[in-house]
Amino acid sequence: MRETQAACFHWKGKEGREQEILVVRRQGGCLLRPECHCEDTGKMSWRPTYRSSKFRNVYGKVGNREHCYDGIPITKNVHDNHFCAVNSKFLAVVTESAGGGSFIIIPVSQSGRLDSHYPKVCGHQGNVLDIKWNPFFENIIASCSEDTSVRVWEIPEGGLRRNMTEAVLELYGHSRRVGLIEWHPTSSGILFSAGYDYKILIWNLEIGEPVKMIDCHTDVILSMSFNTDGSLLATSCKDKKLRVIEPRSGRVLQQASCKNHRVNRVVFLGNMKRLLTTGVSRWNTRQIALWDQEDLSMPIVEEDIDGLSGLLFPFYDTDTHMLYLAGKGDGNIRYFEITTEKPYIQYLMEFRSPAPQKGLGVMPKHGLDVAACEVFRFYKLVTLKGLIEPISMIVPRRSDTYQEDIYPMTAGTEPALSASEWLSGIDRDPVLMSLKDGYHRPNQLVFKAPVKEKKSVVVNGIDLLENVPPRTENELLRMFFRQQDELRRLKEELTTKDVRIRQLELELNNLKNVSPTNV
């Protein structure tokens, strides 16, 4: 019996054009035309095409109730951020608080229900809008607030035992509230902050001062993203423009006016020299677009997602080339695979959940469970329940051995540059590490806050730098009550000293009266 396989059948159509239909082909050629080699020439057939992918069957697994974090007063602020940051040691979540902003720090291993009096980081005088862990110092976290400040905190090993109010660094430079912060991906002491004054400040934490201001935006900055070595910065702005900026000089290298695709969020796609944005089409449907970072004149691909109204947050995994899309207020997470060839964005699957998400934190690669073939992990904020759920994205594999194809060398926790080296113009790729033997490298780095020389500006006998005027009404009230407590303490101390003086005077008089009789 001869071997058979799919082939095509040719005939003349009504208009005289040659048509083809898929039929069975015997070994040696087409049933009716043996000389036909249509399959070899790559013509389109009616056979459905499936692209093989090792991540096609990735599925999301929600942690058990005992692995969730319960009883957390998650903030109800409507600012478009995640309000959550995670590393291999701690989970940080912005919370509701009266009279200022605060967030809590929970050790990742300490799941379950939290005590209502759990200690907080509560030094800000306004609502906290963004928090980010330092990628190289796992005990260092930065926060920004409506009080126009950026603060850097050092969390003790094991977490907080009492409320923390004193920051390692307090950085003032913005004239309005600060909505975004980002750590540099390869340098150990560089922090970026974007404020509602339309400016991006670059902070050198080795000296505790801003070293550069990027002033090319004409409206509020919505998101920031770095390429792999941190030599380029992409921003999306409320002025409907997408920009690629050289951060050290502040020069805009590429700019796109997004009228049909209104950009909300932007993310660099690793070393592909591509950008991906999420936004809204002219028909108010949620949309994603793929761009060439060297030519932003037109997007390479635009793809509609759905007609919902929540903001789409993109998360990109450089190691697996997977893109995750999670909508604010949605319960689902879609994931795609990004390729360098058409169709560029390949839909894989969708994780579904009935509980809406306010924000999502992402665990770094070295904190994942390699033995379970976990390639990504979200921490989902469910505001209505005061709950944080871990969601693991798992590649199903039967073998228990280490899967090298899904765990390539990944960015580690050692900085490639110091702050001064990066500012001098040096660029280096991240220092890579393997996840094969687990992650047990002790961190030898120690974060040292700069010691600033005390300066003074004296006006009418008052040091203006020592006595900083209050910026908000809450700060003014706190200062007033602090001064009242200080006055009360001084009055009590003065009364105590008066009594002591009277006692000493009486003792002195007694001594004077006794001394003549002795003589």
Side-chain angles (χ1 to χ4, degrees):
M1 186 174 181
R2 294 184 178 182
E3 295 181 8
T4 60
Q5 58 184 14
C8 66
F9 173 60
H10 297 258
W11 82 100
K12 294 287 185 178
K14 291 181 179 180
E15 299 178 359
R17 291 180 297 182
E18 189 175 56
Q19 309 290 329
E20 63 182 31
I21 186 170
L22 196 69
V23 294
V24 176
R25 189 177 77 173
R26 297 181 304 184
Q27 184 180 19
C30 188
L31 277 173
L32 300 181
R33 293 179 58 180
E35 71 276 8
C36 172
H37 300 288
C38 57
E39 287 191 347
D40 299 331
T41 58
K43 287 185 181 179
M44 291 291 292
S45 72
W46 287 359
R47 177 171 29 191
T49 58
Y50 291 101
R51 182 180 171 276
S52 63
S53 170
K54 65 187 80 169
F55 304 110
R56 175 166 292 281
N57 296 314
V58 170
Y59 66 94
K61 180 181 178 182
V62 181
N64 297 328
R65 189 71 181 186
E66 59 267 20
H67 295 134
C68 297
Y69 306 83
D70 199 2
I72 299 173
I74 300 170
T75 181
K76 297 176 183 175
N77 196 311
V78 296
H79 189 71
D80 287 331
N81 263 341
H82 297 297
F83 301 110
C84 180
V86 192
N87 64 16
S88 62
K89 285 185 178 181
F90 300 109
L91 167 65
V93 184
V94 179
T95 59
E96 280 289 296
S97 63
S102 65
F103 56 96
I104 59 174
I105 305 292
I106 312 168
V108 170
S109 58
Q110 186 183 321
S111 55
R113 189 167 188 85
L114 257 66
D115 181 49
S116 58
H117 300 291
Y118 196 84
K120 300 177 180 179
V121 180
C122 49
H124 282 287
Q125 278 77 49
N127 290 327
V128 176
L129 299 181
D130 198 10
I131 48 176
K132 291 284 183 353
W133 288 104
N134 189 310
F136 310 112
F137 303 94
E138 295 197 308
N139 290 59
I140 300 297
I141 188 169
S143 62
C144 63
S145 167
E146 291 181 350
D147 63 6
T148 73
S149 72
V150 177
R151 304 193 184 198
V152 179
W153 312 83
E154 185 171 8
I155 308 302
E157 288 292 334
L160 300 178
R161 292 173 179 82
R162 61 183 63 86
N163 285 349
M164 178 178 282
T165 57
E166 296 295 327
V168 176
L169 281 174
E170 294 185 14
L171 309 173
Y172 291 97
H174 290 280
S175 59
R176 297 182 66 187
R177 58 181 173 169
V178 187
L180 288 171
I181 47 175
E182 287 289 344
W183 292 94
H184 193 274
T186 59
S187 177
S188 58
I190 296 292
L191 179 67
F192 285 63
S193 63
Y196 277 62
D197 53 4
Y198 313 156
K199 296 176 176 58
I200 297 176
L201 292 183
I202 306 176
W203 301 90
N204 181 358
L205 301 188
E206 293 179 357
I207 61 173
E209 297 287 345
V211 292
K212 178 67 183 176
M213 181 178 71
I214 301 174
D215 189 13
C216 59
H217 300 85
T218 59
D219 211 323
V220 177
I221 298 142
L222 301 176
S223 68
M224 298 187 289
S225 177
F226 288 99
N227 64 344
T228 306
D229 62 2
S231 60
L232 295 176
L233 174 69
T235 64
S236 61
C237 184
K238 211 170 179 179
D239 62 6
K240 301 179 182 179
K241 290 185 179 179
L242 174 67
R243 295 174 175 88
V244 175
I245 302 168
E246 204 290 309
R248 280 177 292 236
S249 65
R251 187 164 56 94
V252 178
L253 303 178
Q254 291 288 329
Q255 181 172 294
S257 295
C258 308
K259 295 180 180 178
N260 296 334
H261 170 77
R262 298 195 301 274
V263 174
N264 286 324
R265 291 292 183 271
V266 59
V267 63
F268 265 102
L269 301 182
N271 289 321
M272 288 187 177
K273 294 189 175 181
R274 301 277 170 85
L275 294 167
L276 186 126
T277 59
T278 65
V280 182
S281 71
R282 63 166 59 185
W283 313 113
N284 286 330
T285 58
R286 295 198 294 190
Q287 193 178 58
I288 59 175
L290 189 68
W291 307 77
D292 183 348
Q293 75 178 38
E294 296 177 354
D295 181 12
L296 298 183
S297 57
M298 286 288 290
I300 301 171
V301 174
E302 286 182 349
E303 186 170 331
D304 290 338
I305 301 299
D306 56 34
L308 300 179
S309 59
L311 178 69
L312 273 179
F313 292 112
F315 303 89
Y316 181 69
D317 184 358
T318 308
D319 300 335
T320 61
H321 304 296
M322 286 180 67
L323 171 74
Y324 301 86
L325 293 181
K328 186 176 180 180
D330 297 359
N332 60 341
I333 301 173
R334 298 177 178 88
Y335 36 105
F336 305 77
E337 190 170 11
I338 305 296
T339 60
T340 54
E341 300 174 353
K342 289 184 179 181
Y344 303 114
I345 303 173
Q346 183 76 29
Y347 174 77
L348 295 176
M349 212 177 288
E350 180 176 348
F351 166 81
R352 298 194 177 199
S353 169
Q357 58 225 5
K358 182 178 182 65
L360 293 163
V362 175
M363 175 66 76
K365 277 288 183 175
H366 60 265
L368 300 179
D369 185 359
V370 176
C373 295
E374 184 183 29
V375 292
F376 216 73
R377 189 192 302 167
F378 293 101
Y379 285 80
K380 174 179 173 179
L381 273 58
V382 185
T383 309
L384 298 177
K385 299 180 181 179
L387 185 70
I388 299 178
E389 292 179 338
I391 302 172
S392 299
M393 311 308 294
I394 296 173
V395 178
R397 294 283 172 96
R398 292 184 179 179
S399 175
D400 294 332
T401 59
Y402 179 73
Q403 308 293 316
E404 294 188 8
D405 58 330
I406 62 174
Y407 293 114
M409 295 287 285
T410 188
T413 58
E414 292 185 20
L417 295 164
S418 66
S420 55
E421 286 177 326
W422 183 77
L423 290 169
S424 67
I426 302 173
D427 290 318
R428 289 194 193 122
D429 287 330
V431 178
L432 302 181
M433 61 176 285
S434 173
L435 302 178
K436 185 171 185 179
D437 300 320
Y439 179 73
H440 301 293
R441 184 187 66 81
N443 195 343
Q444 304 295 331
L445 299 172
V446 178
F447 182 81
K448 293 182 180 179
V451 179
K452 297 183 181 181
E453 296 181 2
K454 181 174 173 54
K455 301 177 183 179
S456 61
V457 179
V458 179
V459 177
N460 296 330
I462 300 174
D463 189 346
L464 296 181
L465 295 182
E466 182 69 23
N467 301 279
V468 180
R471 293 179 174 80
T472 63
E473 186 177 348
N474 285 332
E475 191 174 348
L476 179 63
L477 288 173
R478 287 189 178 191
M479 184 178 290
F480 171 75
F481 289 125
R482 209 163 36 234
Q483 288 176 348
Q484 292 296 314
D485 291 339
E486 181 71 12
L487 287 173
R488 193 177 300 111
R489 186 186 64 79
L490 290 173
K491 285 180 180 179
E492 290 174 355
E493 188 176 341
L494 187 60
T495 304
T496 305
K497 288 183 177 180
D498 285 341
V499 172
R500 181 61 179 159
I501 289 170
R502 289 195 194 97
Q503 290 176 348
L504 291 173
E505 285 177 347
L506 288 173
E507 290 178 5
L508 184 60
N509 288 332
N510 289 336
L511 287 173
K512 287 180 180 179
N513 291 333
V514 171
S515 57
T517 58
N518 291 338
V519 174

